[in-house]
Amino acid sequence: MTVKLKCLSHTPLRGLNDPGAAVVAEVDAALAKARAEVEAFDPELIVIFAPDHYNGLFYDLMPPFVIATAAESVGDYLTQPGPLSVAKDLALELTRHVLDSDVDIALSHRLQVDHGCTQTLEELTGSIDRYPVIPIIINSVAPPFAPYRRVRKLGEAVGRFIAKLDKRVLILGTGGLSHEPPVPLLADAPEAISEFLIAGRNPTPEARAARQARTIAAGKIYGTAESLQTPLNADWDLAFIDLLVQGRLDEIDEFKIEEISKAAGRSAHEVRTWVAAFAALAATGAYSARQDYYRAINEWIAGYGVVSAEQN
Ligand SMILES: O=C(O)/C=C/c1cccc(O)c1O
Ligand SMILES: [Fe+2]
């Protein structure tokens, strides 16, 4: 087994509400470098930890963690629609292994996934179906959340499974860092919104377009006095990246959900995918990690970071 890791932010506003050309070029360069490294590694399996944003998972049955044996991209924002190349049998084996490790996880034989999963696959591999993949969705957007220590345990269980495979495995985490897009909350939501959050699967093209327009409008004022959303927090982001790079994963067990929401925005919890990814890598042996890129980008509603790691 050889393992590499990449964790990066995603943003559906890429191409829809871009910052200045110099920043776009910087991010393009960071992504091109990451893509070249993935190409050279030529993974035989990708394990991707990703969030969902009320596209595949709703409060009619909201699981803390899900493994998919089959997954279809809904093609939200500018992402590619269609099926992912899910490694079905391995995904099922992994599910058994995680359950045997005392971590409860749901299983889906037909999961819809969104930009939270597919944008990173596209950016790092050129498409959503280039390599066999196991999608693992970690609820990071729809409270209440499982504690961070459970996310670390999930990652460790997945890592012990990967360690037994005779394969080149790329572990991905996607989302974060600090940010708060206008994703509604179920608590105190008006009837129409709560109906969407509970059972809003397969929205009409008009509903999807309206959602996209709302996100673009939020991006246009994000970080200004006009915006009601919690702003980006570069200090929080860089401290979190340092913690991962320095291998201080045990500190994550003390992370407090409400404190993170206040300091870094409600969607900062997408870093749960990074936590699981690093815990998985750490379970395969000692690692070295580096920060490849960071910038707080208001137009994209993203504390935007790229971090890489590999076994020593
Ligand atoms: O779910 C949506 O419609 C928007 C999600 C979003 C917006 C901005 C930054 C992100 O990382 C997002 O996931
Ligand atoms: Fe997201």
Side-chain angles (χ1 to χ4, degrees):
M1 156 233 31
T2 321
V3 186
K4 285 189 190 287
L5 168 151
K6 298 225 173 267
C7 287
L8 54 157
S9 310
H10 59 241
T11 169
L13 292 176
R14 206 166 136 72
L16 291 173
N17 188 53
D18 285 334
V23 173
V24 173
E26 245 177 42
V27 173
D28 282 349
L31 290 176
K33 183 166 173 285
R35 190 160 50 245
E37 286 168 6
V38 169
E39 181 80 28
F41 182 51
D42 191 22
E44 293 165 284
L45 176 69
I46 295 179
V47 174
I48 184 167
F49 294 98
D52 175 75
H53 311 75
Y54 301 107
N55 280 297
L57 300 172
F58 292 82
Y59 280 113
D60 54 357
L61 204 168
M62 182 61 74
F65 312 129
V66 188
I67 293 182
T69 62
E72 172 114 10
S73 163
V74 298
D76 59 333
Y77 295 89
L78 298 178
T79 59
Q80 185 188 333
L84 279 58
S85 304
V86 179
K88 181 172 193 261
D89 293 342
L90 265 186
L92 204 49
E93 256 185 71
L94 173 58
T95 307
R96 287 197 190 97
H97 170 90
V98 170
L99 291 170
D100 286 345
S101 308
D102 292 338
V103 177
D104 296 339
I105 193 158
L107 173 66
S108 172
H109 287 300
R110 190 180 298 164
L111 188 66
Q112 291 183 318
V113 293
D114 66 14
H115 69 274
C117 183
T118 54
Q119 183 175 39
T120 294
L121 278 180
E122 276 185 75
E123 286 174 343
L124 293 187
T125 73
S127 80
I128 58 172
D129 57 1
R130 166 107 188 255
Y131 299 102
V133 65
I134 301 180
I136 305 178
I137 308 301
I138 296 182
N139 177 18
S140 312
V141 173
F145 304 128
Y148 274 81
R149 61 179 182 275
R150 297 294 293 169
V151 177
R152 193 159 79 95
K153 282 195 191 326
L154 166 68
E156 286 170 353
V158 172
R160 287 193 296 272
F161 179 82
I162 290 171
K164 290 188 300 186
L165 300 176
D166 183 21
K167 287 183 188 300
R168 290 182 304 280
V169 182
L170 176 65
I171 302 173
L172 299 179
T174 155
L177 296 152
S178 62
H179 71 306
E180 191 173 275
V183 177
L185 273 179
L186 186 59
D188 303 324
E191 175 69 25
I193 303 231
S194 77
E195 184 54 29
F196 163 72
L197 296 174
I198 292 170
R201 215 166 269 109
N202 302 316
T204 61
E206 293 74 25
R208 211 173 259 308
R211 176 174 177 169
Q212 181 169 312
R214 271 196 305 276
T215 308
I216 293 172
K220 294 215 179 287
I221 57 166
Y222 193 58
T224 71
E226 220 186 313
S227 174
L228 298 176
Q229 312 298 125
T230 306
L232 303 179
N233 184 339
D235 290 343
W236 190 90
D237 292 342
L238 292 170
F240 175 71
I241 291 174
D242 267 357
L243 179 153
L244 298 176
V245 168
Q246 292 165 11
R248 293 158 32 220
L249 302 188
D250 49 333
E251 292 179 27
I252 290 167
D253 291 3
E254 303 309 320
F255 277 19
K256 301 280 181 297
I257 308 261
E258 281 313 314
E259 283 175 17
I260 293 174
S261 299
K262 283 204 182 79
R266 284 195 281 110
S267 291
H269 295 294
E270 289 182 350
V271 299
R272 294 155 73 78
T273 66
W274 297 37
V275 168
F278 269 86
L281 177 65
T284 72
Y287 69 78
S288 304
R290 63 171 197 269
Q291 175 185 317
D292 294 320
Y293 183 76
Y294 178 79
R295 183 183 281 280
I297 305 176
N298 279 317
E299 292 83 348
W300 286 349
I301 314 185
Y304 193 96
V306 180
V307 171
S308 300
E310 57 193 26
Q311 296 159 302
N312 290 338

